[in-house]
């Protein structure tokens, strides 16, 4: 099984936890934080994006946030198809105070 399929399976059938799709509601926006040191990073991200799309998250509401431009480009190149078209790719710059945000619930 390739990394993409393994991620999709893990998100659909996690151990002792509901599937990803059970926690998705219309209008959700999702950020996937990735590091270039992750083995098969582009395939892992592809599997996560495919799982989110199957769960009903719109491609435009998914951002892949990478630690460097090379990782973002590897992921973008891997996901050059109709299923992932519209996904945003962002390089995180922790030194840019205008580009920071808080993740939490309301």
């Amino acid at each position: 099984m390739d990394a993409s399929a393994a991620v999709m399976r893990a998100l659909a059938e996690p151990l002792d936890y509901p599937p990803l799709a059970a926690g998705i509601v219309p209008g959700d926006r999702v950020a996937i934080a990735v590091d270039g040191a992750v083995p098969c990073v582009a395939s892992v991200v592809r599997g996560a994006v495919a799982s989110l799309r199957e769960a009903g998250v719109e491609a435009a509401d998914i951002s892949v946030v990478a630690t460097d431009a090379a990782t973002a480009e590897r992921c973008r190149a891997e996901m050059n198809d109709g299923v992932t078209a519209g996904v945003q790719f962002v390089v995180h710059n922790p030194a840019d105070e205008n580009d920071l945000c808080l993740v939490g619930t309301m």
Side-chain angles (χ1 to χ4, degrees):
M1 179 182 309
D2 68 11
S4 182
V7 168
M8 291 179 71
R9 181 174 174 197
L11 293 173
E13 301 171 10
L15 300 175
D16 300 322
Y17 206 76
L20 174 69
I24 300 295
V25 297
D28 274 354
R29 295 180 63 189
V30 180
I32 303 169
V34 298
D35 184 272
V38 173
C40 306
V41 66
S43 292
V44 169
V45 171
R46 182 177 177 69
V49 168
S51 293
L52 289 164
R53 295 288 290 127
E54 285 181 6
V57 178
E58 297 293 325
D61 293 329
I62 300 171
S63 295
V64 176
V65 183
T67 56
D68 59 82
T71 299
E73 185 53 39
R74 275 197 320 244
C75 293
R76 183 183 339 225
E78 173 84 13
M79 293 187 279
N80 190 13
D81 63 20
V83 173
T84 57
V87 171
Q88 306 300 308
F89 294 87
V90 180
V91 177
H92 175 61
N93 178 1
D96 183 352
E97 291 181 9
N98 295 318
D99 200 26
L100 300 178
C101 65
L102 174 66
V103 177
T105 59
M106 298 181 86

